[in-house]
Amino acid sequence: MIKIFKRFKFQKADTFVALSRDSSFGARGEIIQCSLGEARNMIVPNGLGYYVPRKEGKPILPKSWQPKVVEKDLKFVDIYPAFSDYEQQTTQSETKQSNLDTRQLLLAVPRLEFVRVPIQPGSNKFYGSVTNQDVQKYLLDEHKIHVEKEVIHVPLDRIKEFGEYQVRISIGEPVDLSLNIRHD
C-alpha cells in the first residue's frame, strides 16, 4: 500500500512592514507581509521600510488591507514520501551468493602491488600511507571488483613502510590477500 503525504511548509508568524521607499519588495506606502528575517536583515536596516505598530500582539492594519497572495488561490501538490514501507530488500540467499562471487574473484587476484616514493633515498618509509580506501580503489580500478571499505582490514589501519603485508577482506569467510609496497 502506498501512502501519500501532503507536506506543508511550517511558517512562523509573518511580520508586517510599511515601505518608505520603492524597492523590489513593493511600492512606497505599501504594507507588505514578509518573514521576520527579511524585515530584520534587509528592509528595516537599509531604510526601505519600518515595522507596522502592534497592539496586544496584533498589527494595526487598515481595514482594506489584503495580502498579495491569498491562501485559497494557492495550489497544493501531493508530494510522495522520500521512503516507502515496501522497499526492496535483498534476501540472505542473494547476499550469500553475491559474497561467494566476490570471494571467488578475490581469490583469483594474485597480489596487490603499490608503488610509492621513499621519503629519503635508502629509507624504508614513504610519503603518505596505504589504507583500506586505497585497497578498495585498487581492486575496483585494476580488477573491477567492488568491495566495501569497511570489510577491508589493513594492518594497523594504515601502512607507512615498504614491504610485504597481509590484507584481510571479511565477506562471509575472510580472504587474505598479499600486498606488496615497493619503491618507484
Side-chain angles (χ1 to χ4, degrees), residues 8-171:
F8 297 98
K9 180 181 174 189
F10 175 75
Q11 204 169 12
K12 290 184 179 178
D14 285 332
T15 304
F16 294 90
V17 178
L19 296 176
S20 57
R21 287 196 282 175
D22 289 342
S23 66
S24 61
F25 294 104
R28 180 175 189 229
E30 190 177 337
I31 296 175
I32 62 166
Q33 189 176 7
C34 63
S35 70
L36 183 62
E38 283 179 320
R40 183 186 305 141
N41 298 324
M42 294 185 57
I43 299 172
V44 174
N46 292 325
L48 300 175
Y50 54 90
Y51 293 106
V52 172
R54 293 179 167 264
K55 183 177 182 182
E56 297 177 9
K58 295 183 180 180
I60 302 171
L61 298 170
K63 295 208 185 286
S64 62
W65 185 84
Q66 291 290 321
K68 283 186 177 178
V69 178
V70 181
E71 192 169 317
K72 66 181 180 185
D73 294 340
L74 296 177
K75 294 181 182 178
F76 293 102
V77 178
D78 290 338
I79 300 175
Y80 295 99
F83 58 90
S84 64
D85 295 340
Y86 60 93
E87 286 184 17
Q88 281 188 335
Q89 297 180 359
T90 58
T91 62
Q92 288 182 349
S93 61
E94 289 174 348
T95 305
K96 280 184 181 178
Q97 184 60 39
S98 168
N99 287 346
L100 285 174
D101 294 344
T102 305
R103 188 174 193 284
Q104 289 180 344
L105 289 171
L106 287 171
L107 289 172
V109 175
R111 70 187 309 162
L112 306 175
E113 289 281 334
F114 287 92
V115 177
R116 296 290 193 253
V117 177
I119 293 175
Q120 296 176 346
S123 173
N124 197 28
K125 295 188 177 192
F126 56 88
Y127 286 107
S129 62
V130 176
T131 63
N132 58 352
Q133 195 168 2
D134 296 318
V135 173
Q136 178 192 29
K137 187 173 180 344
Y138 180 87
L139 287 170
L140 189 60
D141 292 347
E142 300 295 321
H143 300 285
K144 308 293 185 249
I145 302 172
H146 177 71
V147 179
E148 296 295 326
K149 68 181 180 183
E150 289 80 20
V151 300
I152 301 172
H153 304 286
V154 176
L156 302 173
D157 291 333
R158 58 184 62 233
I159 301 170
K160 295 184 164 238
E161 294 183 2
F162 293 105
E164 287 280 330
Y165 298 93
Q166 290 294 318
V167 174
R168 177 165 283 189
I169 300 177
S170 301
I171 49 169

Side-chain angles (χ1 to χ4, degrees), residues 170-183:
S170 301
I171 49 169
E173 292 183 33
V175 177
D176 289 329
L177 295 177
S178 175
L179 176 118
N180 183 30
I181 304 172
R182 60 184 174 83
H183 295 273

